[in-house]
Amino acid sequence: MTARMRLQPEAIGVGMTSQRVRDRLIERLRENDIRDERVLNAIRTVPRHLFVDEALATRAYEDTALPIGHGQTISQPWVVAKMTEALFADGKSPAKVLEVGTGSGYQATILAALGIEVFTVERIGDLLRTARKRFRSLGLNVRSKHDDGRIGWPENGPYDGILVTAGAPALVDALSTQLAPGGTLVAPVGASNAQRLLVLRKDADGSLRQDDLAPVVFVPLLSGLVD
Ligand code: SAH
């Protein structure tokens, strides 16, 4: 390789947003026990750098949460992978999923890339508007609304999966009632500085089983709307 080529990393595909950098993230997720090839493929395909400010684009393929404004964050890729993978556990293939906390729109886009019909709710209008622009420019049909997601979106339920992407002291009952039989809810539950990623599975007879996936830290699930 010549020195001149080294000075033009984008031209030879080793820039911070290149496929090679994305593949490195996928390897890292594999090393950290993400196994579902469909989920890994969605993360490989969706350009995460389009979901953060341009100034942070060079860090978009690190396995880390990043600020998206309004004190909120785009989740760490491993957490997105873990939550998404939980929806596909036991050979399931969810058709319709509700997300609470649209944020950057990245998690919703990963779900849409997996062929899922996505409904997402966000309380901060400004974040939602930016996320909607991203959905549009990527040609995705993600349904979204500006509301307090703790009430879910009952008109479109029940859902095969519900992902809550903000932390709360306890599971929200209004959400588990919108889960279809056989459905899966994933939510961070616990104190504001340390939560457990819980999985709630609704059996065919409507009974609920709870599992603990991992320790996580999410921004808080809050009430009230912000423009
Ligand atoms: N899933 C997002 C992560 C966003 S961080 C992504 O992929 O980027 C959590 C988001 O939840 C924040 O945008 C926050 O504003 C939102 N949020 C917090 N409480 C909420 C509530 N009650 N209803 C809807 N959204 C909420």
Side-chain angles (χ1 to χ4, degrees), residues 72-73 99 101-104 107 122-124 148-149 165 221-222:
Q72 307 304 316
T73 55
E99 178 193 31
T102 315
S104 68
Q107 171 75 73
E122 170 60 54
R123 66 180 282 273
I124 301 178
D148 183 339
T165 68
L221 191 68
L222 300 171

Side-chain angles (χ1 to χ4, degrees), residues 51 68-75 80 99-109 120-124 127 134 145 147-151 164-167 218-225:
F51 293 81
I68 56 172
H70 300 269
Q72 307 304 316
T73 55
I74 179 174
S75 305
V80 171
E99 178 193 31
V100 176
T102 315
S104 68
Y106 179 69
Q107 171 75 73
T109 299
T120 182
V121 185
E122 170 60 54
R123 66 180 282 273
I124 301 178
L127 290 178
R134 293 176 178 135
K145 78 167 171 168
D147 208 345
D148 183 339
R150 294 178 310 167
I151 59 168
V164 184
T165 68
F218 275 80
V219 294
L221 191 68
L222 300 171
S223 60
L225 300 191

Side-chain angles (χ1 to χ4, degrees), residues 54-99:
E54 236 170 286
L56 288 170
T58 57
R59 302 192 55 200
Y61 298 95
E62 293 175 16
D63 190 18
T64 176
L66 293 168
I68 56 172
H70 300 269
Q72 307 304 316
T73 55
I74 179 174
S75 305
Q76 179 191 352
W78 182 84
V79 169
V80 171
K82 200 73 185 164
M83 293 181 84
T84 309
E85 202 174 54
L87 300 178
F88 284 86
D90 308 323
K92 286 182 184 157
S93 198
K96 187 162 75 168
V97 170
L98 172 70
E99 178 193 31

Side-chain angles (χ1 to χ4, degrees), residues 15 36 62 94 105 125 140 152 196 204 210-211:
D36 194 307
E62 293 175 16
L140 301 174
R196 307 293 312 186
Q210 189 174 308
D211 249 343

